[in-house]
Amino acid sequence: MTPTAAPAQPAASDVAPVDVRVPARRLLPLAAQHVLAMIAAPVSTVFLTAGTLRLAPGATASLLSAVLVLCGAGALLQSLGVWRIGARLPFVMLPGGAATALFLQIAQDHGTPTAAGSVLLAAALLIAVLPLYARVVRLFPPLVMGVTVLLIGIAMIRVAARLVTGPDGAGEPRAVLLAGLTVAATVGAYVLLRGVWRQTAILTGMASGVLLAVVTGLGSFTPAPGSGFSLPALLPYGTPRFDVLAALPLLVFSLTTLAEITGQTVLNSETVGRVPDPGKDVPRVARADALVSLVGGLFGTSLMVTSAENIGIGRLTGVRSRFVTAAAGALLVGIGLATPVSRALAGIPEAVVGGSSLVVYAVIAVMGVEMLRRADLSGAGTSSMTAALALAAGLLPLLTPGLYDGFPGWARTILGSGVVAGTLTAVLLTALLGRFEGRRESGSEGRDGPSRPVRAKTGEPEPRAPE
């Protein structure tokens, strides 16, 4: 009898780059690069939250610990995947800057228990709409996303400025100077550093601001007491309160994230050599975001969102393995549980946090402008009018805070939030004016024959091809 040949083992080249297991001696330094590239976002977000809500140093340390642990858990979930949760792509997870801005707005207007409840409602909504993913994502083209992100950035620049000036808006000269020096240090780091280190410009700016505060006496650095390892505090703001109207800003934002998740998932898939499959992968990414956000709401954080900002590291190093970001997630969990680290970071002066936050949220506003550039605002269609009216609706409550004081409570909640008012206006006008424009073009085509394409730059019709 002829012996049966043993089945051939798959060669290393048969393994997709995203599924390659990196040797342990290389895994730690590669993972550390990802941590260094993204650590500034959770740190600055936590201190913006702590400064705005006037949290005690111990509460700030606990919140930072929770955010770092959740960032790590999210990276592990997205990279390794469990059942239908996580796309098994090299993603990291961060507290969303725009989501944090809305969380703070709700907390200031309705209290921190309502803000925590809003996070839970928004995460639940994201899970609920996933079966309708294809329909929901159409409501948020680049024009709507651009308006939303631009308004969030503008609104939060004002909030960040209050960290420097104080609640009354009358800042002390030394606080303003310290914030300015922090901004200057951040810009200097961004200009002078290269590669992955450039991505730590915010963190470098904050460290420089703390050093300047201590050396010049413009501020003080007082870490919270504590040592060893500890778990983050559960329900730090008390029992969450559920108010759908108050939660509208975060509810609307949770829907808009589907468009962003789609773009990031396609980009990440292409980067690691996997054929993009949004119908399969986007719901998996969104489920992981929603699950981690549900846990985050119980520990005082805002919505957690998957980020593709680590893709640049993969391109620089040529390593596209999802096990590297999984190892980065494990590192983040360890850092989050190390109490000395989080309590030391909790001592950063508010003016330093304010200066760093001004840069962060100004960048968010510019991201909104970049998104608007992807929409056709040439004036030939209705997009420019839609963007103009949506921005007007969103800026009115920011520029005239008492405009809707005489309206019923539900109207004040909707119209008084610049982000909600602007986003809803953009969604409605995109649908209504787009349909009207479609009918007009259809009627024009019926009378005058097929419409002629328009030049992108001049707005003039392209010449017809000879028949």
Side-chain angles (χ1 to χ4, degrees), residues 7 23 118 141 149 154 170 214 241 272 274 317 335 344 428:
S118 299
V149 175
I154 293 172
V214 174
R241 192 167 72 87
V272 300
R274 179 194 287 185
T317 62
I335 293 172
L428 293 174

Side-chain angles (χ1 to χ4, degrees), residues 104-415:
L104 294 176
Q105 176 187 328
I106 296 171
Q108 289 182 315
D109 294 342
H110 305 279
T112 49
T114 301
S118 299
V119 172
L120 299 177
L121 289 173
L125 176 64
L126 184 57
I127 294 175
V129 302
L130 286 180
L132 305 174
Y133 159 69
R135 296 182 180 181
V136 173
V137 76
R138 293 175 187 168
L139 297 174
F140 302 98
L143 188 150
V144 176
M145 290 288 293
V147 167
T148 300
V149 175
L150 177 57
L151 289 172
I152 289 172
I154 293 172
M156 285 314 298
I157 287 173
R158 185 177 66 171
V159 173
R162 291 297 177 91
L163 291 175
V164 180
T165 64
D168 57 358
E172 295 183 6
R174 66 174 187 172
V176 176
L177 178 59
L178 181 57
L181 291 173
T182 302
V183 172
T186 303
V187 174
Y190 184 80
V191 171
L192 298 175
L193 297 179
R194 292 292 181 268
V196 65
W197 295 104
R198 190 179 194 184
Q199 297 177 335
T200 65
I202 297 295
L203 193 60
T204 302
M206 292 182 71
S208 301
V210 172
L211 181 61
L212 288 169
V214 174
V215 172
T216 63
L218 294 174
S220 60
F221 175 66
T222 310
S227 61
F229 289 80
S230 65
L231 295 176
L234 183 65
L235 299 178
Y237 312 127
T239 303
R241 192 167 72 87
F242 300 101
D243 184 334
V244 174
L245 285 178
L248 267 179
L250 273 179
L251 294 176
V252 171
F253 177 80
S254 69
L255 297 180
T256 69
T257 60
L258 284 175
E260 184 178 0
I261 290 172
T262 301
Q264 290 181 340
T265 302
V266 171
L267 175 62
N268 206 346
S269 298
E270 292 176 345
T271 301
V272 300
R274 179 194 287 185
V275 176
D277 187 359
K280 173 186 174 183
D281 290 337
V282 170
R284 291 173 179 264
V285 174
R287 286 190 196 99
D289 282 6
L291 178 61
V292 177
S293 294
L294 281 171
V295 178
L298 299 176
F299 286 93
T301 76
S302 184
L303 291 175
M304 305 293 293
V305 297
T306 292
S307 172
E309 69 176 33
N310 61 306
I311 289 178
I313 302 175
R315 290 179 175 176
L316 286 172
T317 62
V319 178
R320 294 177 280 181
S321 172
R322 57 192 174 94
F323 295 102
V324 173
T325 49
L331 279 177
L332 285 167
V333 172
I335 293 172
L337 295 177
T339 303
V341 176
S342 57
R343 291 187 177 271
L345 293 173
I348 296 178
E350 283 188 3
V352 172
V353 178
S356 296
S357 301
L358 284 172
V359 177
V360 171
Y361 292 116
V363 169
I364 288 179
V366 173
M367 288 172 58
V369 175
E370 288 292 326
M371 291 179 182
L372 285 174
R373 287 180 58 188
R374 296 202 295 267
D376 180 16
L377 302 180
S378 62
T382 58
S383 295
S384 58
M385 178 62 71
T386 299
L389 294 177
L391 287 173
L395 290 173
L396 274 173
L398 295 176
L399 300 176
T400 315
L403 182 63
Y404 302 112
D405 284 352
F407 284 64
W410 64 269
R412 288 199 306 272
T413 300
I414 297 174
L415 299 176

